[in-house]
Amino acid sequence: MNKSCPVIPSQLTSSTIKSSEFQIDLFHLRERDLLKRFAEEVSEHQSQGNSKESAFILSYQLAEDLGRAFSERAILKTFMEAESALPAGSLKDVLGLLRSLYALISVDEDAAFLRYGYLSTENASAVRKEVPKLCAELRPHALALVNSFGIPDAFLSPIAYNWIESNSWSTAQN
């Protein structure tokens, strides 16, 4: 929070969007700005004669946005720490794809990125377009990822249990 404020590029490329540096900068920017806005709003309510408790209640929307920003940034940081602890290889690559997918879905689903101007509509659209690309890159690893959770086969639906059969042309026609 005490470092200089991150600057988000005005034009985003696919490689920038998937970079951990961009993702953490964007999450830090949101968190810092929301904290500043929340503190200012609480102070404004207090200056109008409201108690501290009442000022917090009146600022619940910013508090909710700030809580989400904090949680998502903490999760992203944990992803990044786990990823950096791994040696180069396929596991690190898959974790990087999962990190990017998590970050981009979080950005896409949180209106705060547009509401407060952290991303332009064009950049938000560019982020959204990367999600299906990441899903396609992760698709070959889907069964291994599901297996890593140790979920018994009986609990998996047919599409997760037997992906090839469930997605075959003959099955799709039935």
Side-chain angles (χ1 to χ4, degrees):
M1 294 300 284
N2 294 326
K3 296 179 182 175
S4 60
C5 194
V7 176
I8 304 304
S10 59
Q11 295 291 324
L12 296 179
T13 64
S14 178
S15 61
T16 301
I17 291 169
K18 291 192 277 186
S19 77
S20 59
E21 295 81 12
F22 164 76
Q23 293 164 3
I24 198 70
D25 281 352
L26 187 58
F27 279 47
H28 276 139
L29 176 65
R30 173 183 58 162
E31 185 180 11
R32 293 171 100 187
D33 181 66
L34 289 172
L35 180 59
K36 178 181 163 266
R37 288 173 188 268
F38 178 71
E40 288 171 353
E41 189 169 296
V42 167
S43 293
E44 183 180 324
H45 287 302
Q46 285 182 297
S47 71
Q48 295 170 355
N50 292 298
S51 68
K52 185 185 295 187
E53 293 80 11
S54 179
F56 271 70
I57 291 169
L58 291 169
S59 301
Y60 78 92
Q61 288 176 318
L62 276 171
E64 182 181 324
D65 288 344
L66 179 58
R68 180 177 184 165
F70 174 82
S71 300
E72 290 178 349
R73 194 257 321 136
I75 292 168
L76 181 60
K77 187 174 182 229
T78 301
F79 252 114
M80 291 171 64
E81 288 169 354
E83 186 181 353
S84 69
L86 292 172
S90 61
L91 181 58
K92 185 175 188 138
D93 295 342
V94 170
L95 192 56
L97 291 172
L98 288 172
R99 180 223 349 113
S100 285
L101 185 61
Y102 167 76
L104 300 187
I105 287 174
S106 297
V107 169
D108 188 48
E109 291 180 350
D110 189 357
F113 287 99
L114 285 172
R115 181 183 306 126
Y116 301 113
Y118 310 135
L119 289 176
S120 66
T121 54
E122 294 80 20
N123 282 345
S125 178
V127 165
R128 184 176 200 133
K129 288 177 183 176
E130 289 301 316
V131 171
K133 293 176 188 176
L134 285 167
C135 288
E137 287 183 65
L138 277 166
R139 189 167 290 120
H141 308 285
L143 290 177
L145 289 167
V146 170
N147 286 337
S148 73
F149 287 103
I151 300 169
D153 290 343
F155 292 153
L156 300 175
S157 71
I159 196 166
Y161 181 70
N162 192 338
W163 187 88
I164 294 170
E165 182 181 321
S166 295
N167 287 286
S168 69
W169 179 254
S170 62
T171 304
Q173 289 179 331
N174 293 335

